[in-house]
Amino acid sequence: MAAKNLLISDPSYVAEFVRNSEFQSLTETRMAVAPDHMALLIRDGEIVDVFKGANFSIGGLLARIRSVFGGRHSFALLLASLKPFQVQLDVEMITKDKAPVTGVATLELQVDPEKPANILGLMRARMPLTEGDVLARVAPHFSERVFGAVGAKVTAAELRGNVEVQDLIQGEIMRETDRVIGDLGIYARIVSVEWALTDTERDEMTRAATLREQEMLDFALEVTRRETARAADSSELEIRTKTDLAKLEAASEDELNHLILKSELEFADARETGQRLQEMKALQHEVEVLRTERVAKFENELAEAGHSIEIQRQKLELRKVDLEMQKLERLQSAEITKLEQMDKLDIAARGNEVAAANIRTLQDIELQGQRAQSEMRMLEEDAAARREIDKSSADTLSRVEMMKAGATMTPEQILAVNAGLSADVAMVLAEQARAKAAEGESTMALMREFVDRAREDKITTAEQAQQLGLKALDSNIGVAQGAGGGAAADGSPPPGAAGTIECPQCGRTNAAQAKFCVGCGHRLRT
């Protein structure tokens, strides 16, 4: 069964309802919707389906039988074109310079295929929707919101050929169209405006036409003047020619001879004048040549004379130099003779003076040697004194540092350090002394014993100190009782000085904050 094509009946229609007679046939009706059309099927006031470029069937006997048992249904089919369509709108606006401007705006609109049902908002009952209806719906909103606003920003002269103004108007119209009927299924694709001639442009065109007409009139006048001048020149030449011919015809033979003679005389005068001019030019050239030769000869003579004078002057100078040299030679000979005589007379005196000078020189040398030896002795004594002072200062500083360090050391460490051993060796010897003291002997006595043995054996490391302790334990070395050691004879602080304390056992002066004596290791405070 062939399908029936659905098309809009009028090209000016945007959408229309299909007649109900299309659905009332006994057989089922197959309908086809073109790809550029849209069909909206409505049943009982409700949208059933939307067809875009498709086939569908509707009606027939089976549908009537169903309507008998199930009730009748009301069908409506809306057909809309999806092709873009153009509408034109007359434009009238007042520009920024208060000039009225008219034109025609062309809008290209299209039904939005994404919102097919919204187009029902533009339909009036069962009436078709025309292009004019769509334009009438949106046109009232353009006058002030678009053209009035744009006209207030530009002048009449800025409208013609202004792409920026065209883009501005297109954007505003498309925005306004979307605002008004965008939700009704219509949108604007392209907008353009064609402006009519304004009063300003008409005035400019009239002025330009008038100027062109005046230019043509000026050109025609100039041509006429040239033709008149050319005609006048031709007439004058013709009149002069005719006059000359008439004079020539009227002149007698004598006048002709006179004219011929006059012409010959003028020719002869001209030839003589030319000859005289040529002679004058030749004479002038000879005069110039002679003047140049004379000047060159005079300059040569001057140069030769100057050269001769210069030669004579040089000879005179040379003679003066010779005379001066002879004079100097004579003076030199006399001076040499005088000097020879003076040398003979002064040889003895000079010998005495040289001997006396030599004696004085030897005495000065001897005095300088004695002075140098004295200075060397003084320097050596100063150096020795500085060394003694530095040594004393170093000893004092070392003892002060020892006193400061002894404030935090144990008696065994103090004893070992005073003996010249290291702190590590002192720790090993102290531990061994404590271990040995556990049998009832004195710790300090054992420590002194270990220190003396370490000093005799030259113990310098902790390993050697451990070997020494093992030997002492094996041989059961007796430990001397009592604490010994006299007072130090170095630069320790004197007894009774401020910030010091005296050991009650050995009498050694220690720092006030020391816990053990730096001499014997006796506990100074609890």
Side-chain angles (χ1 to χ4, degrees):
M1 180 178 179
K4 182 178 182 181
N5 292 326
L6 294 179
L7 298 174
I8 293 180
S9 59
D10 195 323
S12 63
Y13 290 171
V14 178
E16 66 174 343
F17 285 97
V18 180
R19 293 187 300 271
N20 291 336
S21 59
E22 301 289 342
F23 313 133
Q24 297 177 357
S25 61
L26 295 176
T27 60
E28 183 181 18
T29 303
R30 294 185 60 81
M31 297 184 179
V33 179
D36 56 353
H37 284 68
M38 175 197 69
L40 186 65
L41 182 60
I42 303 173
R43 183 179 63 186
D44 297 335
E46 182 180 357
I47 298 176
V48 177
D49 204 349
V50 177
F51 303 97
K52 301 176 186 178
N55 298 329
F56 64 97
S57 60
I58 191 172
L61 180 59
L62 182 58
R64 289 194 175 190
I65 294 172
R66 288 178 180 174
S67 64
V68 171
F69 294 99
R72 298 180 59 85
H73 295 282
S74 175
F75 288 94
L77 184 63
L78 177 63
L79 189 63
S81 174
L82 298 179
K83 295 180 180 179
F85 60 94
Q86 290 185 352
V87 292
Q88 290 185 341
L89 173 66
D90 294 334
V91 177
E92 293 183 1
M93 69 178 185
I94 304 298
T95 60
K96 186 178 180 180
D97 54 350
K98 307 303 179 185
V101 179
T102 59
V104 177
T106 302
L107 286 73
E108 185 172 301
L109 306 176
Q110 186 178 5
V111 176
D112 190 355
E114 302 297 331
K115 303 176 183 179
N118 293 5
I119 198 173
L120 292 173
L122 295 174
M123 305 296 294
R124 293 179 299 175
R126 306 284 295 186
M127 300 296 293
L129 178 64
T130 63
E131 298 174 355
D133 295 336
V134 177
L135 179 62
R137 188 67 174 270
V138 73
H141 302 276
F142 294 155
S143 57
E144 288 296 331
R145 295 180 63 89
V146 177
F147 298 110
V150 173
K153 297 179 181 178
V154 295
T155 61
E158 296 174 349
L159 289 176
R160 186 70 61 186
N162 194 334
V163 179
E164 295 180 357
V165 175
Q166 287 281 352
D167 293 340
L168 177 60
I169 293 176
Q170 176 178 347
E172 293 297 328
I173 289 178
M174 294 177 71
R175 187 180 297 109
E176 195 66 19
T177 302
D178 185 69
R179 186 182 70 86
V180 177
I181 59 176
D183 56 345
L184 298 179
I186 301 293
Y187 68 95
R189 299 182 69 253
I190 302 173
V191 179
S192 62
V193 181
E194 182 179 2
W195 304 108
L197 291 176
T198 62
D199 295 339
T200 303
E201 292 175 337
R202 291 193 185 93
D203 295 340
E204 292 293 334
M205 292 174 64
T206 303
R207 185 180 297 107
T210 303
L211 290 175
R212 289 194 298 271
E213 185 178 356
Q214 292 297 322
E215 290 177 358
M216 292 302 297
L217 292 176
D218 292 340
F219 178 73
L221 178 60
E222 185 66 25
V223 171
T224 304
R225 286 178 180 176
R226 291 180 181 178
E227 291 178 354
T228 302
R230 191 181 299 109
D233 293 340
S234 301
S235 301
E236 183 179 359
L237 179 61
E238 185 177 357
I239 291 172
R240 288 180 179 179
T241 304
K242 290 181 179 180
T243 303
D244 293 338
L245 290 174
K247 286 182 178 180
L248 184 61
E249 291 175 358
S252 59
E253 186 177 354
D254 295 336
E255 292 177 351
L256 292 175
N257 293 331
H258 180 71
L259 291 174
I260 293 170
L261 180 61
K262 184 177 180 180
S263 298
E264 290 179 354
L265 290 174
E266 291 178 352
F267 179 73
D269 292 339
R271 185 173 56 187
E272 292 178 358
T273 301
Q275 292 177 355
R276 285 194 295 273
L277 288 174
Q278 293 295 330
E279 292 175 357
M280 290 296 295
K281 290 181 179 179
L283 291 174
Q284 185 177 2
H285 178 68
E286 292 178 359
V287 169
E288 292 292 336
V289 172
L290 292 174
R291 183 183 294 109
T292 303
E293 291 178 353
R294 190 179 295 109
V295 170
K297 184 177 180 181
F298 181 70
E299 290 178 352
N300 291 332
E301 291 177 356
L302 288 177
E304 291 178 357
H307 184 63
S308 300
I309 293 170
E310 186 66 24
I311 291 173
Q312 295 296 329
R313 185 181 295 109
Q314 293 293 333
K315 289 180 179 180
L316 182 59
E317 294 292 334
L318 183 61
R319 181 60 180 169
K320 289 181 179 179
V321 171
D322 291 338
L323 292 175
E324 289 179 356
M325 290 179 66
Q326 293 175 6
K327 183 178 179 180
L328 290 173
E329 288 177 357
R330 288 195 297 271
L331 292 174
Q332 187 177 8
S333 298
E335 187 70 22
I336 290 171
T337 303
K338 183 178 179 180
L339 290 174
E340 288 177 353
Q341 292 176 358
M342 291 178 65
D343 288 340
K344 290 178 181 180
L345 295 174
D346 295 339
I347 288 174
R350 289 184 179 180
N352 296 331
E353 291 179 357
V354 168
N358 291 334
I359 292 171
R360 287 195 297 272
T361 302
L362 291 174
Q363 291 177 353
D364 293 339
I365 292 171
E366 186 177 358
L367 290 174
Q368 289 178 359
Q370 293 176 358
R371 191 181 297 109
Q373 291 178 359
S374 177
E375 291 177 356
M376 288 294 294
R377 285 195 298 271
M378 293 175 64
L379 291 174
E380 290 176 356
E381 291 176 357
D382 292 341
R386 281 196 297 271
R387 286 196 297 271
E388 290 296 331
I389 293 171
D390 293 340
K391 182 177 180 181
S392 177
S393 299
D395 292 339
T396 302
L397 291 175
S398 63
R399 293 209 175 264
V400 170
E401 294 296 330
M402 187 185 300
M403 291 172 65
K404 291 181 180 179
T408 58
M409 295 171 61
T410 63
E412 294 82 359
Q413 288 178 328
I414 293 173
L415 180 61
V417 171
N418 288 333
L421 303 178
S422 64
D424 295 336
V425 174
M427 289 297 295
V428 173
L429 295 177
E431 293 297 330
Q432 292 174 353
R434 290 192 188 95
K436 184 67 176 177
E439 300 174 359
E441 299 179 356
S442 174
T443 303
M444 291 303 300
L446 291 175
M447 186 64 190
R448 287 190 183 93
E449 181 75 20
F450 288 155
V451 168
D452 293 338
R453 291 292 301 276
R455 187 162 49 189
E456 291 175 0
D457 296 342
K458 298 181 181 181
I459 301 301
T460 57
T461 62
E463 290 78 2
Q464 294 175 354
Q466 290 177 357
Q467 294 296 328
L468 176 63
L470 293 176
K471 290 178 181 180
L473 292 175
D474 293 338
S475 59
N476 294 323
I477 299 174
V479 180
Q481 300 294 327
D490 51 16
S492 60
T500 60
I501 185 173
E502 187 174 355
C503 179
Q505 185 170 352
C506 66
R508 180 70 175 268
T509 301
N510 299 273
Q513 66 273 20
K515 296 181 180 179
F516 300 95
C517 178
V518 297
C520 63
H522 180 71
R523 182 181 295 275
L524 299 178
R525 60 179 65 192
T526 58

